[in-house]
Amino acid sequence: MKRFLRRALVGILALWLVVTLASFGYNLATDGDAAPPAGLKFVEAGGINTRYESWGTTGTPVVLVHGAAESVDTWSRLVPLLATNHRVYAYDITGYGYSERKAPYTIEELAGQLLGFLDAMHLGGAGQPKPILVGHSLGAGVAAEATLEAPSRMGGIMFLDGDGLPLPGGNSGPPRWLIIPPYRTSLFRLVLDQGWLLKKIYNSVCMPGCPPMNVDEWTRPFRQPGAEKALWEMTANGIPAVAPDRLAKLRDLPLPKSVVFGALDTNGGNPTETATRIGAPSPTIIPDANHLTPISSPTQVAAAINTLP
């Protein structure tokens, strides 16, 4: 028995050594960051160097707040439809896209970046136009927290494919101490290199109605300096979100609210319960749409935004 245990231990140590050496070798071979696209625009927002874009010259301003693993580019199909009637703004949340990655990645800090972005764009201040905030998925929580912190600055808020609440189960999953460098880095890079897997995930939350996934557009932000560390820190306690009791305080704020979901969405929460919680009218449900309605159903999303004052 002792001999068997000794051999088993030697085997486990040998396997650990092989895996560790392979991980170090893979990380060394794949080291290096991707260059960001040319022509990106940046502004300081809440002390964070923030990538942003703007479109349109007239109309009520609309500020688009993207979801997890997304960026300004997520809105590319929606923006042309909105910009005919609105001044439209979008920015990359810190931790995602091409904005500076700056911890801590709490919902309060993310809301602070949004409020700083409004300052930089001259929105919502004294004598300035009040924007409509459109928060997609994770962005619904960010928009909600910013609205709760500064309700007088907002002209309205839309929850798009998101309920603003913590995910069920919080940060459940494998113990984080099991996924440590160098294995964490190897796993992170391996996933980014599996285009077939990423396309499968994309199709599962976007189809039907979505164009084919541009893998480089989605993965290039995660090949920027600090992206792996930021993603790890941002998800340490689950996706940043607003506590239910605090989120319910939106119900008492006298501003236009809207909830819009894809009918096939199983990732954003319950649209009817969300509308009730925040004091919005009955939700708008987009038929044959999933969790990425800005990509799959831009016409219907634009129409819903246009109904807000």
Side-chain angles (χ1 to χ4, degrees):
M1 185 65 177
K2 289 183 178 179
R3 182 178 298 178
F4 172 78
L5 291 175
R6 188 181 301 114
R7 288 178 177 176
L9 179 60
V10 170
I12 292 171
L13 289 175
L15 178 62
W16 170 80
L17 180 61
V18 169
V19 171
T20 300
L21 289 175
S23 180
F24 274 116
Y26 176 76
N27 294 348
L28 183 63
T30 57
D31 198 26
D33 301 316
L40 299 183
K41 295 192 298 185
F42 292 85
V43 68
E44 183 177 336
I48 297 168
N49 193 30
T50 297
R51 180 260 183 124
Y52 80 101
E53 273 293 346
S54 61
W55 306 263
T57 57
T58 61
T60 302
V62 174
V63 176
L64 305 173
V65 188
H66 66 74
E70 299 173 11
S71 70
V72 166
D73 303 306
T74 305
W75 306 103
S76 61
R77 300 190 77 196
L78 175 64
V79 162
L81 304 177
L82 287 180
T84 59
N85 299 312
H86 299 277
R87 286 180 290 156
V88 184
Y89 304 83
Y91 72 99
D92 285 348
I93 293 175
T94 179
Y96 296 118
Y98 298 98
S99 289
E100 176 187 4
R101 287 162 167 82
K102 191 172 182 180
Y105 301 101
T106 63
I107 196 67
E108 293 81 9
E109 293 297 322
L110 301 188
Q113 183 191 17
L114 172 52
L115 292 172
F117 182 69
L118 298 187
D119 291 338
M121 298 297 108
H122 307 292
L123 298 173
Q128 298 172 346
K130 296 182 179 182
I132 294 171
L133 302 184
V134 178
H136 179 250
S137 193
L138 159 70
V142 178
E145 179 62 30
T147 300
L148 288 167
E149 291 183 18
S152 64
R153 300 190 62 176
M154 312 308 176
I157 184 171
M158 174 182 286
F159 282 42
L160 180 60
D161 303 325
D163 60 9
L165 295 172
L167 292 176
N171 61 339
S172 61
R176 295 174 71 84
W177 57 265
L178 288 177
I179 311 176
I180 60 175
Y183 319 113
R184 187 181 75 198
T185 299
S186 299
L187 179 62
F188 180 75
R189 294 179 183 176
L190 278 169
V191 171
L192 289 182
D193 287 339
Q194 305 308 307
W196 66 271
L197 175 61
L198 298 175
K199 289 178 181 178
K200 186 174 182 178
I201 296 171
Y202 170 83
N203 289 337
S204 72
V205 296
C206 198
M207 300 301 286
C210 284
M213 180 187 192
N214 183 328
V215 175
D216 179 70
E217 181 179 282
W218 283 83
T219 60
R220 184 175 292 234
F222 292 100
R223 302 183 191 276
Q224 304 303 302
E228 176 198 337
K229 180 182 178 183
L231 183 63
W232 190 250
E233 292 179 348
M234 177 172 275
T235 58
N237 298 302
I239 296 295
V242 185
D245 290 347
R246 177 162 175 77
L247 192 66
K249 294 180 180 179
L250 280 174
R251 186 187 305 121
D252 299 324
L253 297 182
L255 76 163
K257 303 156 196 163
S258 178
V259 174
V260 179
F261 271 65
L264 306 177
D265 187 3
T266 59
N267 295 279
N270 185 300
T272 301
E273 291 178 2
T274 299
T276 300
R277 182 178 297 110
I278 69 171
S282 297
T284 297
I285 306 299
I286 301 177
D288 299 319
N290 209 310
H291 188 62
L292 294 178
T293 56
I295 300 174
S296 68
S297 313
T299 300
Q300 295 93 322
V301 173
I305 293 172
N306 286 332
T307 63
L308 287 168

